[in-house]
Amino acid sequence: MLTRRGIQRRMASPEIHVAPDRFEVSSGETLLTAELRSAIAVCVYDADEEAGALLHLRCIVKHSKPADVTDTTLATELLLLHRCLESLRESAPAARHLQARIVAHLADTPQVNPAYEIVIKLVRHYLEDAGVQVLPEDIAAGPARTLRFRPSMGWVHTRA
């Protein structure tokens, strides 16, 4: 017989907050979270293996120049994405059906949107080349977005 405390313990799952320019890999019932402010999140998972990863990329565009993204910035983001996928594949070697969702929070200045589009397109192509099925993006402007991702089920939820 489960006590009330036992039920609460059973229902509670670990929660890990993913900071900007970081990623976390998890399995089981772990909930990955991020606060998106001018940022892109890449949620990668294999629901069969109940494993996944959350990559949180900041998008900082200087307002004094026209929107463009430097090669250094793109290389850094691709390196983080590569390390994220590599870590996921190491922690869940049986994961063969990886899927991904790209979630973005755009800055309130429309002139920087082309920079976001470049990064999102690059991330999408990299994932596709790595054999990951990329689902439709979730892109929005306005207030910061809270992202909650449960890799074991491929569940992604955002709210402003």
Side-chain angles (χ1 to χ4, degrees), residues 7-132:
I7 291 171
Q8 288 173 338
R9 219 181 286 142
R10 181 186 236 185
M11 291 176 68
S13 60
E15 186 172 306
I16 300 171
H17 180 75
V18 181
D21 297 326
R22 302 265 185 236
F23 67 86
E24 288 289 339
V25 175
S26 77
S27 60
E29 291 301 312
T30 304
L31 182 67
L32 301 175
T33 66
E35 188 74 21
L36 302 181
R37 296 176 190 276
S38 298
I40 296 171
V42 182
C43 304
V44 184
Y45 63 94
D46 184 316
D48 292 340
E49 292 302 312
E50 296 188 356
L54 173 61
L55 170 61
H56 183 177
L57 299 171
R58 280 184 297 178
C59 290
I60 300 172
V61 179
K62 294 183 170 64
H63 298 290
S64 60
K65 296 182 179 180
D68 87 289
V69 182
T70 67
D71 290 343
T72 304
T73 300
L74 293 175
T76 302
E77 290 170 346
L78 281 181
L79 181 60
L80 272 173
L81 180 57
H82 174 77
R83 287 183 180 161
C84 178
L85 283 178
E86 193 174 71
S87 294
L88 175 57
R89 287 186 169 131
E90 284 175 10
S91 72
R96 300 281 184 257
H97 305 287
L98 292 176
Q99 297 181 45
R101 291 283 314 263
I102 299 169
V103 180
H105 172 261
L106 303 178
D108 290 331
T109 49
Q111 66 267 25
V112 301
N113 288 351
Y116 284 98
E117 290 171 10
I118 291 169
V119 175
I120 291 168
K121 191 176 193 178
L122 185 68
V123 166
R124 173 180 271 286
H125 286 305
Y126 185 90
L127 290 168
E128 289 169 347
D129 287 348
V132 177

